[in-house]
Coordinates of all heavy atoms in Angstrom, one line a residue:
M1 N 4.3 -20.0 2.2 CA 3.6 -19.4 1.2 C 4.1 -18.0 0.9 O 4.2 -17.1 1.9 CB 2.1 -19.3 1.5 CG 1.2 -18.6 0.5 SD -0.5 -18.8 0.9 CE -1.0 -17.2 0.8
A2 N 4.5 -17.6 -0.3 CA 5.1 -16.4 -0.6 C 4.0 -15.3 -0.9 O 3.0 -15.7 -1.5 CB 6.0 -16.5 -1.8
F3 N 4.2 -14.1 -0.4 CA 3.3 -13.1 -0.7 C 3.6 -12.4 -2.0 O 4.7 -11.9 -2.2 CB 3.3 -12.0 0.5 CG 2.4 -10.9 0.3 CD1 1.0 -11.1 0.3 CD2 2.9 -9.6 0.1 CE1 0.2 -10.0 0.1 CE2 2.0 -8.5 0.0 CZ 0.7 -8.7 0.0
N4 N 2.6 -12.4 -2.9 CA 2.8 -11.7 -4.2 C 1.8 -10.6 -4.3 O 0.7 -10.8 -4.6 CB 2.6 -12.8 -5.3 CG 2.8 -12.2 -6.7 OD1 3.5 -11.2 -6.8 ND2 2.3 -12.8 -7.7
P5 N 2.3 -9.3 -4.0 CA 1.3 -8.2 -4.0 C 0.9 -7.8 -5.4 O 1.7 -7.4 -6.2 CB 2.1 -7.1 -3.3 CG 3.5 -7.4 -3.6 CD 3.6 -8.9 -3.7
V6 N -0.4 -8.0 -5.7 CA -1.0 -7.6 -7.0 C -2.1 -6.6 -6.6 O -3.1 -7.0 -6.0 CB -1.5 -8.8 -7.8 CG1 -2.2 -8.3 -9.0 CG2 -0.4 -9.7 -8.1
I7 N -1.9 -5.4 -7.0 CA -2.9 -4.4 -6.6 C -4.1 -4.5 -7.6 O -4.0 -4.4 -8.8 CB -2.3 -2.9 -6.7 CG1 -1.3 -2.8 -5.6 CG2 -3.4 -1.9 -6.5 CD1 -0.6 -1.5 -5.6
F8 N -5.3 -4.8 -7.0 CA -6.5 -4.9 -7.8 C -7.2 -3.6 -8.0 O -7.8 -3.3 -9.0 CB -7.4 -5.9 -7.1 CG -8.7 -6.2 -7.7 CD1 -8.8 -6.9 -8.9 CD2 -9.9 -5.7 -7.1 CE1 -10.0 -7.1 -9.5 CE2 -11.1 -5.9 -7.7 CZ -11.2 -6.6 -8.9
D9 N -7.2 -2.7 -6.9 CA -7.9 -1.4 -7.0 C -7.0 -0.5 -6.2 O -6.4 -0.8 -5.2 CB -9.3 -1.6 -6.3 CG -10.1 -0.3 -6.5 OD1 -9.9 0.4 -7.5 OD2 -10.8 0.1 -5.5
L10 N -7.0 0.8 -6.7 CA -6.2 1.8 -6.0 C -7.0 3.1 -6.0 O -7.4 3.6 -7.0 CB -4.9 2.1 -6.9 CG -3.8 2.9 -6.3 CD1 -3.3 2.3 -5.0 CD2 -2.7 3.1 -7.3
Q11 N -7.3 3.6 -4.7 CA -8.1 4.8 -4.5 C -7.3 5.8 -3.8 O -6.7 5.5 -2.8 CB -9.3 4.4 -3.7 CG -10.2 3.5 -4.4 CD -10.9 4.0 -5.7 OE1 -11.2 5.2 -5.7 NE2 -11.0 3.2 -6.7
P12 N -7.3 7.1 -4.2 CA -6.6 8.2 -3.5 C -7.4 8.4 -2.2 O -8.6 8.4 -2.1 CB -6.7 9.4 -4.4 CG -7.6 9.1 -5.5 CD -7.8 7.6 -5.5
S13 N -6.6 8.6 -1.1 CA -7.2 8.8 0.2 C -7.0 10.2 0.7 O -7.9 10.9 1.2 CB -6.6 7.8 1.2 OG -7.1 8.0 2.5
D14 N -5.8 10.7 0.7 CA -5.4 12.0 1.2 C -4.2 12.5 0.5 O -3.4 11.7 0.0 CB -5.2 12.0 2.7 CG -5.2 13.3 3.4 OD1 -5.6 14.3 2.7 OD2 -4.8 13.4 4.5
K15 N -4.0 13.9 0.4 CA -2.8 14.4 -0.2 C -2.5 15.8 0.4 O -3.4 16.5 0.9 CB -3.0 14.6 -1.7 CG -4.1 15.5 -2.1 CD -4.2 15.6 -3.6 CE -5.4 16.5 -4.0 NZ -5.6 16.5 -5.5
N16 N -1.2 16.0 0.4 CA -0.7 17.3 0.8 C 0.3 17.7 -0.3 O 1.5 17.3 -0.2 CB 0.0 17.2 2.2 CG 0.6 18.5 2.7 OD1 0.7 19.5 1.9 ND2 0.8 18.6 3.9
E17 N -0.1 18.4 -1.3 CA 0.7 18.7 -2.5 C 1.8 19.6 -2.1 O 2.9 19.5 -2.7 CB -0.2 19.2 -3.6 CG -1.1 18.2 -4.2 CD -1.9 18.7 -5.3 OE1 -1.8 19.9 -5.6 OE2 -2.7 18.0 -5.8
K18 N 1.6 20.5 -1.1 CA 2.7 21.4 -0.7 C 3.9 20.6 -0.2 O 5.1 21.0 -0.5 CB 2.2 22.3 0.4 CG 3.2 23.3 0.9 CD 2.6 24.2 2.0 CE 3.7 25.1 2.5 NZ 3.2 25.9 3.7
E19 N 3.7 19.6 0.6 CA 4.8 18.8 1.2 C 5.1 17.6 0.3 O 6.1 16.9 0.5 CB 4.4 18.3 2.5 CG 4.1 19.4 3.6 CD 5.4 20.2 3.9 OE1 6.5 19.6 4.0 OE2 5.2 21.4 4.1
G20 N 4.3 17.3 -0.7 CA 4.5 16.1 -1.6 C 4.2 14.8 -1.0 O 4.8 13.8 -1.3
L21 N 3.2 14.8 0.0 CA 2.8 13.6 0.7 C 1.4 13.1 0.2 O 0.5 13.9 0.0 CB 2.7 13.8 2.2 CG 4.0 14.3 2.8 CD1 3.8 14.7 4.3 CD2 5.1 13.3 2.7
Y22 N 1.3 11.8 -0.1 CA 0.1 11.3 -0.6 C -0.2 10.0 0.1 O 0.6 9.3 0.6 CB 0.3 11.0 -2.1 CG 0.5 12.2 -2.9 CD1 1.8 12.7 -3.1 CD2 -0.5 12.8 -3.5 CE1 2.0 13.8 -3.8 CE2 -0.3 14.0 -4.3 CZ 1.0 14.5 -4.5 OH 1.2 15.6 -5.2
Q23 N -1.6 9.7 0.2 CA -2.0 8.4 0.8 C -3.0 7.8 -0.2 O -3.8 8.4 -0.8 CB -2.8 8.6 2.1 CG -1.9 9.1 3.2 CD -2.7 9.3 4.5 OE1 -3.8 8.6 4.7 NE2 -2.3 10.1 5.4
Y24 N -2.8 6.5 -0.4 CA -3.7 5.7 -1.3 C -4.2 4.5 -0.5 O -3.5 3.9 0.4 CB -3.0 5.2 -2.5 CG -2.8 6.3 -3.6 CD1 -1.7 7.1 -3.5 CD2 -3.7 6.4 -4.6 CE1 -1.5 8.1 -4.5 CE2 -3.5 7.4 -5.6 CZ -2.4 8.3 -5.5 OH -2.3 9.2 -6.4
I25 N -5.4 4.0 -0.8 CA -5.9 2.8 -0.3 C -5.8 1.8 -1.4 O -6.4 1.9 -2.5 CB -7.4 2.9 0.2 CG1 -7.6 3.9 1.2 CG2 -7.9 1.5 0.6 CD1 -6.9 3.7 2.5
A26 N -5.0 0.7 -1.2 CA -4.8 -0.3 -2.2 C -5.5 -1.6 -1.7 O -5.4 -2.0 -0.6 CB -3.3 -0.6 -2.3
T27 N -6.2 -2.2 -2.7 CA -6.9 -3.5 -2.5 C -6.1 -4.5 -3.3 O -6.0 -4.3 -4.5 CB -8.4 -3.4 -2.9 OG1 -9.0 -2.4 -2.2 CG2 -9.0 -4.8 -2.6
F28 N -5.6 -5.5 -2.6 CA -4.8 -6.5 -3.3 C -5.7 -7.6 -3.9 O -6.9 -7.7 -3.5 CB -3.8 -7.1 -2.4 CG -2.7 -6.1 -2.0 CD1 -2.7 -5.5 -0.7 CD2 -1.8 -5.7 -2.9 CE1 -1.8 -4.6 -0.3 CE2 -0.8 -4.8 -2.5 CZ -0.8 -4.2 -1.2
S29 N -5.2 -8.5 -4.7 CA -6.0 -9.5 -5.3 C -6.6 -10.5 -4.3 O -7.6 -11.1 -4.6 CB -5.1 -10.3 -6.3 OG -4.0 -10.9 -5.7
D30 N -6.0 -10.6 -3.1 CA -6.6 -11.5 -2.1 C -7.6 -10.8 -1.2 O -8.0 -11.3 -0.2 CB -5.5 -12.1 -1.3 CG -4.7 -11.1 -0.5 OD1 -5.0 -9.9 -0.7 OD2 -3.9 -11.5 0.3
Q31 N -8.0 -9.6 -1.6 CA -9.0 -8.7 -1.0 C -8.5 -8.1 0.3 O -9.3 -7.4 1.1 CB -10.3 -9.5 -0.7 CG -11.0 -9.9 -1.9 CD -11.3 -8.8 -2.9 OE1 -11.8 -7.8 -2.5 NE2 -11.0 -9.0 -4.2
S32 N -7.2 -8.2 0.6 CA -6.7 -7.5 1.8 C -6.5 -6.0 1.3 O -6.2 -5.7 0.1 CB -5.3 -8.1 2.2 OG -4.4 -8.1 1.2
K33 N -6.5 -5.1 2.3 CA -6.4 -3.7 2.0 C -5.3 -3.1 2.8 O -5.1 -3.5 4.0 CB -7.7 -2.9 2.3 CG -8.8 -3.3 1.4 CD -10.0 -2.5 1.7 CE -11.1 -2.8 0.7 NZ -12.3 -1.9 0.8
C34 N -4.6 -2.1 2.2 CA -3.5 -1.4 2.9 C -3.6 0.1 2.6 O -4.1 0.5 1.5 CB -2.1 -1.9 2.4 SG -1.7 -3.6 3.0
R35 N -3.1 0.9 3.5 CA -2.9 2.3 3.2 C -1.5 2.5 2.9 O -0.6 2.1 3.6 CB -3.3 3.1 4.5 CG -3.3 4.6 4.2 CD -3.7 5.4 5.4 NE -5.0 5.0 6.0 CZ -6.2 5.4 5.6 NH1 -6.2 6.4 4.7 NH2 -7.3 5.0 6.2
L36 N -1.2 3.1 1.7 CA 0.1 3.4 1.3 C 0.4 4.9 1.5 O -0.3 5.7 1.1 CB 0.2 3.1 -0.2 CG -0.2 1.7 -0.7 CD1 -0.1 1.6 -2.2 CD2 0.6 0.6 0.0
F37 N 1.6 5.1 2.1 CA 2.0 6.5 2.4 C 3.2 6.7 1.5 O 4.2 6.0 1.5 CB 2.5 6.6 3.9 CG 1.4 6.4 4.9 CD1 1.1 5.1 5.3 CD2 0.6 7.4 5.3 CE1 0.1 4.9 6.3 CE2 -0.4 7.2 6.2 CZ -0.7 6.0 6.7
L38 N 3.0 7.7 0.6 CA 4.0 8.0 -0.5 C 4.5 9.4 -0.5 O 3.8 10.3 0.0 CB 3.4 7.7 -1.8 CG 2.9 6.2 -2.0 CD1 1.5 6.2 -2.3 CD2 3.7 5.6 -3.1
T39 N 5.7 9.6 -1.0 CA 6.2 11.0 -1.3 C 6.4 11.1 -2.8 O 6.6 10.1 -3.5 CB 7.5 11.2 -0.5 OG1 8.5 10.3 -1.0 CG2 7.3 11.2 1.0
K40 N 6.3 12.3 -3.3 CA 6.6 12.6 -4.7 C 7.4 13.8 -4.8 O 6.8 14.9 -4.7 CB 5.2 12.7 -5.4 CG 5.5 12.8 -6.9 CD 4.1 12.9 -7.7 CE 4.4 13.0 -9.2 NZ 3.2 13.2 -9.9
N41 N 8.7 13.7 -4.9 CA 9.6 14.8 -5.1 C 10.7 14.5 -6.0 O 11.8 14.3 -5.5 CB 10.2 15.2 -3.7 CG 9.2 15.8 -2.8 OD1 8.2 16.4 -3.2 ND2 9.4 15.6 -1.5
P42 N 10.7 14.5 -7.3 CA 9.6 14.5 -8.2 C 9.1 13.1 -8.5 O 8.1 12.9 -9.1 CB 10.2 15.1 -9.4 CG 11.6 14.7 -9.5 CD 12.0 14.6 -8.0
N43 N 9.8 12.1 -8.1 CA 9.4 10.7 -8.3 C 8.7 10.1 -7.1 O 8.9 10.5 -6.0 CB 10.7 9.8 -8.6 CG 11.4 10.3 -9.9 OD1 10.8 10.7 -10.8 ND2 12.7 10.2 -9.9
W44 N 7.8 9.1 -7.4 CA 7.1 8.4 -6.3 C 8.1 7.6 -5.5 O 8.9 6.9 -6.0 CB 6.0 7.5 -6.9 CG 4.9 8.2 -7.5 CD1 4.7 8.4 -8.9 CD2 3.8 8.9 -6.9 NE1 3.5 9.1 -9.1 CE2 3.0 9.4 -7.8 CE3 3.5 9.0 -5.5 CZ2 1.8 10.1 -7.5 CZ3 2.3 9.7 -5.2 CH2 1.5 10.2 -6.2
K45 N 7.9 7.6 -4.2 CA 8.6 6.7 -3.3 C 7.7 6.3 -2.2 O 7.0 7.1 -1.5 CB 9.8 7.5 -2.7 CG 10.5 6.7 -1.6 CD 12.0 6.7 -1.8 CE 12.7 6.0 -0.6 NZ 12.4 4.6 -0.5
L46 N 7.6 5.0 -2.0 CA 6.7 4.4 -0.9 C 7.5 4.5 0.4 O 8.6 4.0 0.6 CB 6.4 3.0 -1.2 CG 5.5 2.3 -0.2 CD1 4.1 2.9 -0.2 CD2 5.3 0.8 -0.6
A47 N 6.9 5.3 1.3 CA 7.5 5.5 2.6 C 7.1 4.5 3.7 O 7.9 4.1 4.5 CB 7.2 6.9 3.1
H48 N 5.8 4.2 3.7 CA 5.3 3.3 4.7 C 4.0 2.6 4.2 O 3.3 3.2 3.3 CB 5.0 4.1 6.0 CG 4.5 3.3 7.1 ND1 5.3 2.5 7.8 CD2 3.3 3.2 7.7 CE1 4.6 1.9 8.8 NE2 3.4 2.4 8.7
V49 N 3.7 1.5 4.7 CA 2.5 0.8 4.4 C 1.8 0.3 5.7 O 2.5 -0.1 6.6 CB 2.7 -0.4 3.4 CG1 3.6 -1.5 4.0 CG2 1.4 -1.0 2.9
N50 N 0.5 0.4 5.8 CA -0.2 0.1 7.0 C -1.4 -0.8 6.5 O -2.2 -0.4 5.8 CB -0.7 1.3 7.7 CG -1.3 1.0 9.0 OD1 -1.3 -0.1 9.5 ND2 -2.0 2.0 9.6
R51 N -1.4 -2.0 7.0 CA -2.5 -3.0 6.6 C -3.8 -2.6 7.3 O -3.8 -2.3 8.5 CB -2.1 -4.4 7.0 CG -3.1 -5.4 6.6 CD -2.6 -6.8 6.9 NE -2.5 -7.1 8.3 CZ -3.5 -7.4 9.1 NH1 -4.7 -7.6 8.6 NH2 -3.3 -7.6 10.4
L52 N -4.9 -2.5 6.6 CA -6.2 -2.3 7.2 C -6.8 -3.6 7.6 O -6.5 -4.6 7.0 CB -7.1 -1.6 6.1 CG -6.5 -0.2 5.6 CD1 -7.5 0.3 4.6 CD2 -6.4 0.8 6.8
L53 N -7.5 -3.6 8.6 CA -8.0 -4.9 9.3 C -9.3 -5.4 8.7 O -10.2 -5.8 9.5 CB -8.1 -4.6 10.8 CG -6.8 -4.3 11.5 CD1 -7.0 -4.0 12.9 CD2 -5.7 -5.4 11.3
N54 N -9.4 -5.5 7.4 CA -10.6 -6.0 6.8 C -10.6 -7.6 6.8 O -11.6 -8.2 6.9 CB -10.9 -5.5 5.4 CG -9.8 -5.9 4.4 OD1 -8.7 -5.9 4.7 ND2 -10.3 -6.1 3.2
I55 N -9.4 -8.2 6.7 CA -9.2 -9.6 6.7 C -7.9 -9.9 7.5 O -7.1 -9.0 7.6 CB -9.2 -10.3 5.3 CG1 -8.0 -9.8 4.5 CG2 -10.5 -10.1 4.6 CD1 -7.8 -10.6 3.3
P56 N -7.7 -11.1 8.0 CA -6.4 -11.4 8.6 C -5.3 -11.2 7.6 O -5.4 -11.3 6.4 CB -6.6 -12.9 9.0 CG -8.0 -13.1 9.1 CD -8.7 -12.2 8.1
C57 N -4.1 -11.0 8.2 CA -2.9 -10.8 7.4 C -2.7 -12.0 6.5 O -2.7 -13.1 6.9 CB -1.7 -10.6 8.3 SG -0.1 -10.5 7.5
P58 N -2.4 -11.7 5.2 CA -2.2 -12.8 4.3 C -0.9 -13.6 4.5 O -0.8 -14.7 4.0 CB -2.2 -12.2 2.9 CG -1.9 -10.7 3.1 CD -2.4 -10.4 4.5
M59 N 0.0 -13.1 5.3 CA 1.3 -13.8 5.6 C 1.2 -14.6 6.9 O 1.5 -15.7 6.9 CB 2.4 -12.8 5.5 CG 2.7 -12.4 4.1 SD 3.6 -10.9 4.0 CE 2.4 -9.7 4.2
C60 N 0.9 -13.8 8.0 CA 1.0 -14.5 9.3 C -0.4 -14.9 9.8 O -0.5 -15.6 10.8 CB 1.7 -13.6 10.3 SG 0.7 -12.1 10.7
R61 N -1.4 -14.5 9.1 CA -2.8 -14.8 9.4 C -3.3 -14.3 10.8 O -4.3 -14.7 11.3 CB -3.1 -16.4 9.4 CG -2.7 -17.0 8.1 CD -3.2 -16.4 6.8 NE -4.6 -16.5 6.8 CZ -5.4 -15.8 5.9 NH1 -4.8 -15.0 5.1 NH2 -6.7 -15.9 5.9
K62 N -2.6 -13.3 11.3 CA -3.0 -12.6 12.5 C -4.1 -11.6 12.2 O -4.1 -11.0 11.2 CB -1.8 -12.0 13.2 CG -0.8 -12.9 13.7 CD 0.3 -12.2 14.4 CE 1.3 -13.3 14.9 NZ 2.6 -12.7 15.3
D63 N -5.0 -11.5 13.2 CA -6.2 -10.6 13.0 C -6.0 -9.3 13.7 O -6.9 -8.7 14.2 CB -7.4 -11.3 13.4 CG -8.7 -10.6 12.8 OD1 -8.5 -9.9 11.8 OD2 -9.8 -10.8 13.3
Y64 N -4.7 -8.8 13.9 CA -4.4 -7.6 14.5 C -3.2 -7.0 13.8 O -2.7 -7.6 12.9 CB -4.2 -7.7 16.0 CG -3.1 -8.7 16.4 CD1 -1.8 -8.4 16.5 CD2 -3.5 -10.0 16.7 CE1 -0.9 -9.4 16.8 CE2 -2.6 -11.0 17.1 CZ -1.3 -10.6 17.1 OH -0.3 -11.6 17.4
Y65 N -2.8 -5.8 14.2 CA -1.7 -5.1 13.5 C -0.4 -5.9 13.6 O 0.0 -6.3 14.7 CB -1.5 -3.7 14.0 CG -2.6 -2.8 13.6 CD1 -3.5 -2.3 14.5 CD2 -2.8 -2.4 12.2 CE1 -4.5 -1.4 14.1 CE2 -3.8 -1.6 11.8 CZ -4.6 -1.0 12.8 OH -5.6 -0.2 12.4
C66 N 0.2 -6.1 12.4 CA 1.5 -6.7 12.4 C 2.4 -5.9 11.4 O 1.9 -5.0 10.8 CB 1.4 -8.2 11.9 SG 0.7 -8.3 10.3
N67 N 3.6 -6.3 11.3 CA 4.5 -5.5 10.4 C 5.0 -6.4 9.2 O 6.0 -6.1 8.6 CB 5.8 -5.1 11.2 CG 5.5 -4.1 12.3 OD1 4.6 -3.3 12.1 ND2 6.1 -4.2 13.4
C68 N 4.1 -7.3 8.8 CA 4.5 -8.2 7.7 C 4.6 -7.4 6.4 O 5.4 -7.7 5.5 CB 3.5 -9.3 7.5 SG 3.5 -10.5 8.9
M69 N 3.7 -6.5 6.2 CA 3.7 -5.7 4.9 C 5.0 -4.9 4.7 O 5.4 -4.6 3.6 CB 2.5 -4.8 4.8 CG 1.2 -5.5 4.7 SD 1.1 -6.3 3.1 CE -0.5 -7.1 3.3
E70 N 5.6 -4.5 5.9 CA 6.8 -3.7 5.8 C 8.0 -4.4 5.1 O 8.8 -3.8 4.5 CB 7.3 -3.3 7.2 CG 6.4 -2.3 7.9 CD 6.6 -0.9 7.4 OE1 7.7 -0.5 7.0 OE2 5.6 -0.2 7.4
K71 N 7.9 -5.8 5.2 CA 9.0 -6.6 4.6 C 8.9 -6.6 3.1 O 9.8 -7.0 2.4 CB 8.9 -8.0 5.1 CG 9.0 -8.1 6.6 CD 8.7 -9.5 7.1 CE 8.7 -9.6 8.6 NZ 8.2 -10.9 9.1
H72 N 7.7 -6.2 2.5 CA 7.5 -6.2 1.1 C 7.4 -4.8 0.5 O 6.8 -4.7 -0.6 CB 6.2 -7.0 0.8 CG 6.3 -8.5 1.3 ND1 7.0 -9.4 0.6 CD2 5.9 -9.0 2.4 CE1 7.0 -10.6 1.3 NE2 6.3 -10.4 2.4
L73 N 8.0 -3.8 1.1 CA 7.9 -2.5 0.5 C 8.4 -2.4 -0.9 O 7.7 -1.7 -1.7 CB 8.7 -1.5 1.4 CG 8.0 -1.0 2.7 CD1 8.9 -0.1 3.5 CD2 6.7 -0.3 2.4
P74 N 9.5 -2.9 -1.3 CA 10.0 -2.8 -2.7 C 9.0 -3.4 -3.7 O 8.7 -2.8 -4.7 CB 11.3 -3.5 -2.7 CG 11.8 -3.5 -1.3 CD 10.5 -3.6 -0.5
A75 N 8.4 -4.6 -3.4 CA 7.5 -5.2 -4.3 C 6.2 -4.4 -4.4 O 5.6 -4.3 -5.5 CB 7.2 -6.7 -3.8
I76 N 5.7 -3.9 -3.3 CA 4.5 -3.1 -3.3 C 4.7 -1.8 -4.0 O 3.8 -1.4 -4.8 CB 4.0 -2.9 -1.8 CG1 3.6 -4.2 -1.2 CG2 2.8 -1.9 -1.8 CD1 3.3 -4.1 0.3
E77 N 5.9 -1.2 -3.8 CA 6.2 0.0 -4.5 C 6.2 -0.2 -6.0 O 5.7 0.6 -6.8 CB 7.5 0.6 -4.1 CG 7.9 1.9 -4.7 CD 9.2 2.5 -4.2 OE1 10.1 1.7 -3.7 OE2 9.4 3.7 -4.3
A78 N 6.8 -1.3 -6.5 CA 6.9 -1.6 -7.9 C 5.5 -1.8 -8.5 O 5.2 -1.4 -9.6 CB 7.8 -2.9 -8.1
E79 N 4.7 -2.5 -7.7 CA 3.3 -2.8 -8.2 C 2.5 -1.4 -8.2 O 1.7 -1.2 -9.2 CB 2.6 -3.8 -7.2 CG 1.2 -4.1 -7.6 CD 1.1 -4.9 -8.9 OE1 2.1 -5.5 -9.3 OE2 0.0 -4.9 -9.5
F80 N 2.7 -0.6 -7.3 CA 2.1 0.8 -7.3 C 2.5 1.6 -8.5 O 1.7 2.2 -9.2 CB 2.4 1.5 -6.0 CG 2.0 3.0 -6.0 CD1 0.6 3.3 -5.8 CD2 2.9 4.0 -6.3 CE1 0.2 4.6 -5.8 CE2 2.4 5.3 -6.4 CZ 1.1 5.6 -6.1
L81 N 3.8 1.6 -8.8 CA 4.3 2.4 -9.9 C 3.7 1.8 -11.2 O 3.4 2.6 -12.1 CB 5.8 2.4 -9.9 CG 6.5 3.1 -8.8 CD1 8.0 2.9 -8.9 CD2 6.2 4.6 -8.8
Q82 N 3.6 0.5 -11.3 CA 3.0 -0.1 -12.5 C 1.5 0.3 -12.6 O 1.0 0.7 -13.7 CB 3.2 -1.6 -12.5 CG 2.6 -2.3 -13.7 CD 2.7 -3.8 -13.6 OE1 3.3 -4.3 -12.7 NE2 2.1 -4.5 -14.5
K83 N 0.8 0.3 -11.5 CA -0.6 0.6 -11.5 C -0.9 2.1 -11.8 O -1.9 2.4 -12.5 CB -1.2 0.2 -10.2 CG -2.7 0.2 -10.1 CD -3.3 -1.0 -10.9 CE -4.7 -1.1 -10.7 NZ -5.3 -2.1 -11.5
I84 N -0.1 3.0 -11.2 CA -0.3 4.4 -11.4 C 0.0 4.9 -12.8 O -0.6 5.9 -13.3 CB 0.6 5.2 -10.4 CG1 0.0 6.6 -10.1 CG2 2.0 5.4 -10.8 CD1 -1.2 6.6 -9.2
E85 N 0.8 4.1 -13.6 CA 1.1 4.5 -14.9 C 0.0 4.1 -15.9 O -0.1 4.6 -17.0 CB 2.4 3.8 -15.4 CG 3.6 4.3 -14.8 CD 4.9 3.6 -15.1 OE1 4.8 2.6 -15.9 OE2 5.9 4.0 -14.7
E86 N -0.9 3.2 -15.5 CA -2.1 2.8 -16.3 C -3.1 3.9 -16.5 O -3.3 4.7 -15.8 CB -2.7 1.5 -15.8 CG -1.8 0.3 -15.8 CD -2.5 -0.9 -15.2 OE1 -3.6 -0.8 -14.6 OE2 -1.8 -1.9 -15.2

């Protein structure tokens, strides 16, 4: 089963405007949640993604921390950029 990241909701979590660092909580269409770590100098760049443990991982179905979301950074970044422009 392929993972298709579609951001349903995006909430700002933390920011450090001096350093250009931002955190957002993204809720995907399958109700999984991730914390997105981004930089903005001057364009947005997704640096890291951390899955929150509200449901098992949509890819490996493990109920603990895994690195599956790291494999999909470009797709998640593209979805974030599309969502932030709205």
Side-chain angles (χ1 to χ4, degrees):
M1 178 172 131
F3 179 65
N4 184 21
V6 176
I7 295 177
F8 178 72
D9 186 37
L10 189 63
Q11 299 294 323
S13 174
D14 196 11
K15 64 182 174 182
N16 181 342
E17 291 180 1
K18 180 181 175 189
E19 299 293 325
L21 302 173
Y22 297 85
Q23 291 181 25
Y24 283 87
I25 302 294
T27 304
F28 294 105
S29 59
D30 63 355
Q31 298 304 313
S32 62
K33 293 185 178 189
C34 289
R35 183 177 310 270
L36 306 177
F37 297 89
L38 300 120
T39 59
K40 185 178 182 186
N41 291 331
N43 298 325
W44 290 105
K45 171 127 176 69
L46 183 60
H48 184 70
V49 62
N50 187 10
R51 186 176 63 84
L52 302 177
L53 298 176
N54 65 321
I55 64 170
C57 175
M59 288 161 277
C60 68
R61 307 308 299 165
K62 294 180 181 171
D63 199 19
Y64 53 87
Y65 288 111
C66 61
N67 293 324
C68 294
M69 293 292 180
E70 292 285 327
K71 299 172 188 171
H72 299 281
L73 281 178
I76 294 171
E77 182 178 27
E79 183 68 21
F80 171 81
L81 291 174
Q82 179 183 355
K83 191 71 172 176
I84 203 77
E85 290 175 359
E86 294 177 355

